[in-house]
């Protein structure tokens, strides 16, 4: 089965919980990268006064790759353990990967 890239985007206050879940399952997730980001647009709920002024909300982006079945299992894990976490995701096929 081909590898896929799983991208997760979430509010900052959820990120540590998701990272802990990923770290608890080395059988599914070999490693991941987390970055600070900003959520923009009509689908991003701005709640805090600073968000309303800035026009965006802080988000964390986590990326990991692996077998599609494993990445779907990660999604199920997050859904079951953090059912109201407000995590947006997508899966895309990996064309090539490696180290240079």
């Amino acid at each position: 089965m081909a590898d896929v890239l799983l991208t997760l985007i979430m509010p900052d206050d959820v990120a540590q919980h998701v990272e802990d879940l990923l770290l608890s399952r080395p059988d599914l997730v070999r490693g991941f990268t987390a970055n600070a980001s900003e959520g923009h647009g009509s689908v991003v709920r701005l709640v805090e006064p600073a968000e309303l002024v800035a026009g965006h909300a802080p988000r964390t982006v986590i990326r990991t790759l692996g077998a599609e079945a494993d990445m779907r299992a990660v999604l199920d894990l997050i859904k079951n353990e953090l059912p109201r976490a407000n995590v947006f995701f997508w899966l895309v096929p990996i064309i090539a990967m490696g180290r240079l």
Side-chain angles (χ1 to χ4, degrees):
M1 184 177 288
D3 281 340
V4 296
L5 173 68
L6 172 60
T7 301
L8 305 164
I9 301 176
M10 69 215 68
D12 287 351
D13 62 345
V14 175
Q16 188 63 56
H17 301 291
V18 172
E19 290 173 5
D20 290 344
L21 281 176
L22 299 180
L23 290 169
S24 76
R25 294 300 306 268
D27 57 315
L28 297 175
V29 178
R30 298 179 297 233
F32 59 89
T33 302
N35 302 95
S37 188
E38 298 172 346
H40 297 264
S42 61
V43 296
V44 177
R45 250 182 298 139
L46 304 178
V47 179
E48 300 296 324
E51 296 171 355
L52 294 168
V53 171
H56 57 80
R59 293 290 186 259
T60 298
V61 178
I62 297 176
R63 292 181 188 90
T64 187
L65 61 88
E68 182 178 350
D70 290 346
M71 297 301 100
R72 290 189 182 277
V74 167
L75 292 172
D76 288 340
L77 176 67
I78 294 168
K79 186 189 313 182
N80 291 331
E81 294 294 321
L82 303 167
R84 292 177 181 77
N86 189 23
V87 176
F88 184 79
F89 76 92
W90 61 85
L91 286 171
V92 295
I94 298 294
I95 297 171
M97 68 179 178
R99 295 188 190 276
L100 299 176

